[in-house]
Amino acid sequence: MEPRIQYAKTSDGVSIAFWTLGEGMPFVVMPVLPFSHCQGEWQLPEWRSWYERLAEKRMVVRYDCRGFGSSQRDVSDFSLEAHMRDLEAVVDRLGLERFALWSASIAGPMAIAYAAHHPEMVSHLLLWCTWAGASDFYQSPRARALRATRDTDWELYTETVAHAVRGWSEVRESESYAAIIREGATKEAMRAAADLAYEFDVTALLPKVKTPTLVLHRRQVPYPEVDVARGLASRIPGARLAVLEGSAIAMFVGDSES
């Protein structure tokens, strides 16, 4: 059964859409800015299966960031602090006292910042194919080429992102994902949010993260490269690094069971 969309209100008055699935220890999945559509994701069988598998022993919480998906669209503040308010709104709405926090890609700096500032709230921090400083990702030639595509051809950009996330061999499935990306965002909102995300850098906060942390990465992912994951894990006290096989950034593609 498809989870029911609910809403939380941020301290600055933005409505944030979220759903929950399962029961038990809360497991909060942060949106991968600027690709966030928690309702649309449920239409993809692999993504739906991944959530259902996670929810077998815990309560999965998935929300859309401001400006995207089913959350309020007419916003202009996409700062790191604004994204913190989105997470805080959902946590407060559900009355969560302690939870595991999962983040991937661009959401990594947000999760790191939240864990560093709220160690009493985050029981486990899981960082998937991500980084602390945006320059670790956006300096790569492929990332710069992708950004240039975004500014010239919106449809080609979303299709390229979908192929990169899922793996280049899965053409038909990537087309469905690209359609969900376009449905969940406008070109203008994606550009505004992504341009600000290029500046996110929480490297200075890494030594302050006291939460047990697991850094996960796939060895053949073209960007960010696995060396970024190694560097991230080495700067968080006590963090563990798990390098898995595969080239898909999407955690629900390939050997998702591992």
Side-chain angles (χ1 to χ4, degrees):
M1 180 180 296
E2 183 173 349
R4 178 173 61 92
I5 296 292
Q6 304 177 63
Y7 284 90
K9 186 76 73 173
T10 67
S11 59
D12 58 341
V14 179
S15 294
I16 302 299
F18 71 94
W19 54 248
T20 67
L21 185 68
E23 298 179 352
M25 174 186 173
F27 186 95
V28 178
V29 179
M30 298 190 76
V32 182
L33 173 78
F35 315 116
S36 183
H37 199 334
C38 64
Q39 192 170 27
E41 290 171 358
W42 196 256
Q43 310 311 314
L44 297 178
E46 289 172 312
W47 212 325
R48 183 169 63 246
S49 296
W50 191 74
Y51 284 133
E52 290 173 337
R53 180 72 175 85
L54 280 178
E56 288 179 4
K57 298 181 180 180
R58 56 191 63 84
M59 180 179 73
V60 176
V61 180
R62 170 72 173 90
Y63 69 96
D64 280 332
C65 53
R66 58 182 58 211
F68 296 88
S70 298
S71 287
Q72 185 174 330
R73 295 288 187 96
D74 57 335
V75 297
S76 57
D77 187 358
F78 294 108
S79 64
L80 184 65
E81 293 74 19
H83 291 300
M84 294 298 96
R85 292 194 287 270
D86 295 350
L87 173 57
E88 289 167 355
V90 174
V91 168
D92 291 345
R93 172 70 170 75
L94 291 172
L96 303 183
E97 297 181 354
R98 195 162 170 79
F99 55 91
L101 185 61
W102 168 283
S103 67
S105 189
I106 301 178
M110 301 179 233
I112 292 167
Y114 187 88
H117 291 303
H118 302 281
E120 76 286 355
M121 299 289 292
V122 184
S123 62
H124 304 76
L125 178 62
L126 300 101
L127 304 172
W128 170 269
C129 293
T130 188
W131 51 85
S135 61
D136 288 338
F137 171 68
Y138 294 113
Q139 292 298 327
S140 74
R142 291 191 181 187
R144 291 199 300 270
L146 189 60
R147 183 179 183 180
T149 304
R150 182 203 69 185
D151 295 335
T152 56
D153 191 320
W154 170 239
E155 186 166 343
L156 177 60
Y157 170 72
T158 58
E159 291 176 354
T160 303
V161 167
H163 286 306
V165 168
R166 293 190 54 93
W168 291 93
S169 62
E170 301 190 32
V171 177
R172 181 174 302 176
E173 292 80 1
S174 296
E175 290 175 352
S176 299
Y177 182 37
I180 288 175
I181 292 175
R182 290 192 293 270
E183 182 182 328
T186 64
K187 179 180 179 180
E188 292 72 23
M190 184 172 290
R191 176 181 295 166
D195 284 349
L196 264 183
Y198 294 150
E199 303 173 7
F200 292 170
D201 192 331
V202 296
T203 304
L205 292 178
L206 293 178
K208 301 179 181 180
V209 175
K210 306 304 180 185
T211 301
T213 301
L214 178 61
V215 177
L216 300 117
H217 203 87
R218 281 198 170 127
R219 193 181 306 277
Q220 289 80 30
V221 165
Y223 55 94
E225 297 180 349
V226 69
D227 283 346
V228 173
R230 294 191 183 103
L232 183 60
S234 70
R235 289 175 288 178
I236 298 176
R240 293 172 52 202
L241 173 66
V243 179
L244 310 176
E245 299 302 320
S247 60
I249 299 174
M251 55 279 183
F252 56 88
V253 175
D255 187 14
S256 58
E257 185 64 24
S258 64

